[in-house]
Amino acid sequence: MADTTFTTRIVHIRTGDRETVTDLTGECEEFLREAAAGRDGLLNVFVPHATAGVAVLETGAGSDDDLIAALHGLLPADDRWQHRHGTPGHGRDHVVPALVAPHATLPVIGGRLELGTWQSVCLVDTNVDNVNRHVRLSFFGG
């Protein structure tokens, strides 16, 4: 039986006071250089927050802004939400993880994240009331 390992790390991200899509690919790759050390396995990215998610998408060409705009269209920041504390419309932030899951599991081949040419691992955060986020990166491999 192959020797397997599990390694995990918390990454701290400051998202600021605006809705954002933050590219985490560099943090993921840095973690895997040490944790995977050239091995195959899986990377799990988990955001332990009730108002944020993880997405794999293209960034820098407008898709990140398109995602925020799409979330605005689906989940307007107004007073329709029953969850009403915080910034007006904050209740919709608590619905975001139902559409943008708070986790993603990705293949690691030879110690490297196996993404498509234009794919990036991103934190999606529409909650402007909480600017400090934690992302748990976990590697399981053999």
Side-chain angles (χ1 to χ4, degrees), residues 3-9 27-43 108-113 138-142:
D3 184 28
T4 59
T5 61
F6 177 82
T7 306
T8 190
R9 174 183 300 159
E27 286 86 348
C28 293
E29 291 170 340
E30 180 181 327
F31 169 69
L32 289 171
R33 275 193 287 281
E34 180 181 319
R39 295 172 295 153
D40 294 349
L42 295 171
L43 172 68
V108 176
I109 307 298
R112 297 187 54 126
L113 195 54
S138 300
F139 173 75
F140 181 76

Side-chain angles (χ1 to χ4, degrees), residues 13 26 30-31 35-36 44 47 53-54 65 68 75 80 96 98 101 104 106 108 117 121 126 128 134:
I13 305 291
E30 180 181 327
F31 169 69
N44 182 264
V47 182
V54 176
D65 292 332
I68 294 295
L75 307 170
R80 73 182 70 199
V96 167
L106 305 162
V108 176
T117 302
V121 181
T126 60
V128 299
H134 307 289

Side-chain angles (χ1 to χ4, degrees), residues 58-72:
E58 180 180 8
T59 60
S63 296
D64 34 0
D65 292 332
D66 289 342
L67 175 57
I68 294 295
L71 290 172
H72 270 277

Side-chain angles (χ1 to χ4, degrees), residues 74-142:
L74 292 170
L75 307 170
D78 57 23
D79 65 356
R80 73 182 70 199
W81 307 100
Q82 292 183 38
H83 186 107
R84 293 183 185 263
H85 75 84
T87 302
H90 173 67
R92 64 95 188 220
D93 297 330
H94 287 273
V95 178
V96 167
L99 301 175
V100 182
H103 59 86
T105 301
L106 305 162
V108 176
I109 307 298
R112 297 187 54 126
L113 195 54
E114 189 74 9
L115 292 173
T117 302
W118 305 112
Q119 290 180 318
S120 296
V121 181
C122 299
L123 169 67
V124 179
D125 187 2
T126 60
N127 182 359
V128 299
D129 294 334
N130 185 353
V131 301
N132 295 305
R133 296 302 187 168
H134 307 289
V135 179
R136 178 174 293 279
L137 304 177
S138 300
F139 173 75
F140 181 76

Side-chain angles (χ1 to χ4, degrees), residues 45-61:
V45 182
F46 176 69
V47 182
H49 298 282
T51 58
V54 176
V56 177
L57 74 155
E58 180 180 8
T59 60

